[in-house]
Amino acid sequence: MIQPTSLNSNISKSHFGGCLIARMLERSWRAVPGPLSISPEDIHEVAPQLLATGTGALAWHCIQSLDPPSTGPFLDLRNAYRQHAAESAVHQINTSDIFTRVRAAGIEPVLFKGWGLARLYPDAGLRPYGDIDLWVEDLQELSAALPSGDERVYCVDPHVSFYPQYERSFDDVMRNSHLVNLDDVRVRVPADEDQLRFICLHFLFHGAWRPLWLCDIALMVELTDSKFDWDRCLGGKRKHADWIACAIGLAHQLLGADVSGTPVEKRAQTLPRWLTTAVLKQWEKGNGMSLAESLSFSLPRRLLNPRTLVSAISEHWRNPIQASVEVNAWFNESPRLFFQFVSAFPRIPEFIKYFGTEIRRA
């Protein structure tokens, strides 16, 4: 049976829920995750957040060898793993079908995330994904090569560019990409150096709201070997290389990823104080929705209670991480409030638009 344990004393108690999620997922990407550092009662508390962020299967991976009861949240976590395992088989068929179709049309895309990451985990059911992200040169050609209407049974998310801080051209990524086997189809994925850089930036640009993405980073870092080209992964502007190092540092400090012997080892141990706090606070909050997606749910009822209107507005305030990357700031010890204001300014028209709509609706 699972034995209760106490949280590490050096973890802040100010964002207890975020801390519990971090402890639940510690080393969860490994074939043998290691001993749990939270109690059964804690698992009950964080299970809804784990399930909502796609990490329920990883949590089950950590507890299944401990003979957990088949009731309540433990059953939910087990079912999440089973569901992801079944969905994984479908996603693999879809990914294979996509590459078969586009190659027949003379198109060679690069697959980011999705199956390209899930295949690295020790079990196919541990890493859920939905959209199939493809980087291509021509969106119209890709669209023409894929089935349309009711024949489209999968969701393809095409890209012709990524974040400016990625600092990679399509041709550059293509030259360094490689083919991997998916049944009888060869799928093109980016070089590990390019994939790791991308998922670090993706994690930061989305405000670090999903712990699954930090598990991806931890997994990829621990899979690096002597052939891994850190100069390529960290290449480009020094500021952006530091962002990558900080993202890896978060995987080290929050999830226990092994970064020993890597060029980012020192930076991983000396992160800005606000950074880990921002991640834990975001995980505890667990809100990854955008302004457009969430405002209509929260604002009408808040308008009926003006005392909580400020709280409603704060729900749509960029966290320190997302604000910092949006304004292209250094990750140093400087306070983040200024960057959050600067980041908020361009979205004022958007907020006014939805604010006015919801006032009329309310």
Side-chain angles (χ1 to χ4, degrees):
M1 295 293 293
I2 300 175
Q3 298 299 318
T5 56
S6 59
L7 283 172
N8 193 320
S9 60
N10 65 1
I11 294 295
S12 169
K13 298 298 190 290
S14 59
H15 303 297
F16 189 67
C19 295
L20 290 182
I21 292 173
R23 286 293 169 254
M24 181 72 256
L25 297 176
E26 192 171 11
R27 303 179 183 88
S28 59
W29 57 91
R30 296 179 181 175
V32 181
L36 278 179
S37 59
I38 70 172
S39 69
E41 292 76 18
D42 294 334
I43 296 175
H44 276 76
E45 182 172 338
V46 299
Q49 282 290 79
L50 295 168
L51 294 166
T53 57
T55 50
L58 283 169
W60 175 252
H61 179 57
C62 293
I63 66 175
Q64 63 177 330
S65 64
L66 304 177
D67 191 26
S70 298
T71 57
F74 301 100
L75 178 60
D76 293 336
L77 296 175
R78 185 183 69 180
N79 288 340
Y81 164 74
R82 291 176 173 177
Q83 178 182 346
H84 296 330
E87 291 174 347
S88 174
V90 175
H91 289 322
Q92 290 184 33
I93 293 172
N94 292 340
T95 302
S96 176
D97 180 70
I98 288 171
F99 271 82
T100 300
R101 288 176 180 270
V102 299
R103 283 212 179 99
I107 303 169
E108 186 68 12
V110 182
L111 175 70
F112 277 76
K113 302 188 302 174
W115 178 79
L117 283 176
R119 68 187 178 89
L120 302 177
Y121 280 82
D123 189 309
L126 296 181
R127 208 288 183 188
Y129 58 97
D131 295 349
I132 299 173
D133 293 82
L134 299 178
W135 196 3
V136 295
E137 290 188 288
D138 191 307
L139 292 180
Q140 291 184 340
E141 288 184 355
L142 176 66
S143 179
L146 295 174
S148 59
D150 294 339
E151 295 182 11
R152 177 78 67 87
V153 295
Y154 40 68
C155 181
V156 176
D157 191 3
H159 305 269
V160 293
S161 64
F162 286 118
Y163 315 108
Q165 292 83 355
Y166 189 51
E167 300 179 89
R168 301 286 186 274
S169 68
F170 176 80
D171 289 339
D172 186 26
V173 170
M174 179 62 76
R175 280 194 303 269
N176 288 276
S177 66
H178 58 277
L179 295 168
V180 292
N181 292 324
L182 174 53
D183 297 328
D184 58 347
V185 175
R186 302 272 279 170
V187 174
R188 186 170 296 278
V189 297
D192 291 345
E193 295 84 354
D194 295 337
Q195 182 86 287
L196 178 56
R197 182 181 181 90
F198 174 78
I199 63 176
C200 287
L201 291 173
H202 182 73
F203 176 72
L204 298 174
F205 266 89
H206 286 78
W209 80 268
R210 202 175 188 195
L212 177 66
W213 297 333
L214 196 59
C215 292
D216 292 338
I217 294 170
L219 170 70
M220 286 210 69
V221 170
E222 291 197 348
L223 289 177
T224 61
D225 55 22
S226 59
K227 297 179 181 179
F228 188 86
D229 188 353
W230 281 101
D231 289 338
R232 177 170 179 80
C233 180
L234 302 174
K237 292 183 175 62
R238 191 160 60 91
K239 179 194 300 181
H240 304 148
D242 187 61
W243 288 6
I244 306 303
C246 286
I248 295 172
L250 287 168
H252 169 65
Q253 291 200 12
L254 297 181
L255 301 181
D258 183 6
V259 297
S260 58
T262 69
V264 301
E265 180 178 3
K266 182 176 180 181
R267 181 54 163 156
Q269 297 170 356
T270 57
L271 298 179
R273 286 171 291 182
W274 58 266
L275 186 55
T276 52
T277 300
V279 175
L280 293 175
K281 182 178 180 180
Q282 185 62 52
W283 288 2
E284 185 170 63
K285 180 182 178 183
N287 182 9
M289 293 190 293
S290 68
L291 173 64
E293 293 170 320
S294 58
L295 188 55
S296 61
F297 290 99
S298 64
L299 195 51
R301 69 173 184 271
R302 301 300 176 89
L303 287 171
L304 301 177
N305 185 359
R307 292 182 179 180
T308 60
L309 182 57
V310 172
S311 176
I313 295 173
S314 70
E315 290 176 3
H316 316 296
W317 178 257
R318 290 289 194 256
N319 73 26
I321 299 171
Q322 198 167 15
S324 296
V325 297
E326 285 185 357
V327 303
N328 203 31
W330 281 95
F331 279 23
N332 53 30
E333 293 290 351
S334 298
R336 299 290 109 175
L337 187 59
F338 171 75
F339 302 125
Q340 289 174 280
F341 274 111
V342 173
S343 175
F345 186 78
R347 299 195 312 282
I348 291 177
E350 181 187 10
F351 181 81
I352 293 175
K353 171 186 174 183
Y354 284 97
F355 187 82
T357 300
E358 297 306 328
I359 285 179
R360 290 190 294 271
R361 183 181 299 174

